[in-house]
Amino acid sequence: MRRIDRWLSRSARHLARRTSRRGFLARLGGLLVGGAALPLLPVARPAAARETQPGEPDPTSPEGDPRSCEYWRYCAVDGFLSSCCGGTQSSCPPGTEMSPVTWIGTCRNPADGRDYVISYNDCCGKDICGKCTCMRHEGDRPVYFPSKSNDINWCMGTVGVGYNSTVAIVVGVATEPE
Ligand code: ABN
């Protein structure tokens, strides 16, 4: 037998004498379970929580949580938040229809400090949702300026005129008038 073969065979026999099959399986099991538990450790949790949409603030803060009235896009909302009613901040709950007529606000995004034009569309055709009432009135004008008032049922041009909730859709970056 060549020298390398003799050395390999001796090492293998030595290893076999020192390790039982049960011990090997126990160590392998420990490695697998330990590996699976790693993401649960406290170090990994904040990293996972920081998974933010690009251009959106931290979702663990009220300004970044679409189910909170303090979410930045809701600065001029008046109604119930679609995101608490089965929809999201930009999509209506199932079974409702988004109003094609909307009112517009301008809100500052704390993530980048820029102002954005937000379209507040009512979700229509289903009973009132009643969850997450949110009344913020930045730039809101009295109802006798209908195009600038958020206190109007904008369920117009939809199959059902009953108001359910409201979404806040980013239309674009607000620019200064020239
Ligand atoms: N646009 C929200 C709303 C709906 C009904 C009545 C008042 C305000």
Side-chain angles (χ1 to χ4, degrees):
M1 221 192 297
R2 291 199 5 234
R3 241 164 108 204
I4 186 142
D5 290 337
R6 267 202 311 275
W7 178 77
L8 275 176
S9 130
R10 215 176 316 128
S11 306
R13 263 185 272 121
H14 180 70
L15 188 68
R17 262 199 309 275
R18 289 187 52 218
T19 34
S20 69
R21 198 181 322 158
R22 201 181 295 169
F24 170 76
L25 287 176
R27 222 169 304 150
L28 181 68
L31 271 178
L32 290 177
V33 172
L38 267 182
L40 304 176
L41 293 176
V43 206
R45 248 181 270 137
R50 255 183 273 113
E51 271 172 29
T52 306
Q53 296 284 315
E56 289 282 335
D58 179 358
T60 60
S61 71
E63 294 80 15
D65 173 10
R67 293 169 65 92
S68 158
C69 187
E70 287 162 67
Y71 182 53
W72 72 277
R73 292 190 197 185
Y74 299 148
C75 75
V77 84
D78 175 320
F80 304 108
L81 304 179
S82 165
S83 49
C84 298
C85 304
T88 68
Q89 67 271 28
S90 54
S91 68
C92 281
T96 65
E97 189 187 348
M98 197 182 286
S99 63
V101 192
T102 80
W103 80 105
I104 296 289
T106 304
C107 303
R108 181 153 298 167
N109 182 349
D112 59 10
R114 295 172 90 184
D115 293 328
Y116 287 85
V117 177
I118 311 290
S119 169
Y120 297 100
N121 300 58
D122 285 342
C123 302
C124 317
K126 221 171 146 183
D127 275 354
I128 203 152
C129 164
K131 290 185 200 143
C132 299
T133 316
C134 187
M135 306 279 190
R136 291 175 60 186
H137 303 285
E138 251 176 64
D140 174 39
R141 295 288 172 269
V143 283
Y144 49 81
F145 296 116
S147 60
K148 292 186 174 159
S149 171
N150 66 12
D151 197 15
I152 288 178
N153 180 354
W154 287 103
C155 289
M156 302 170 196
T158 47
V159 176
V161 291
Y163 168 76
N164 173 267
S165 54
T166 303
V167 294
I169 298 168
V170 176
V171 177
V173 179
T175 50
E176 291 291 329
E178 306 208 339

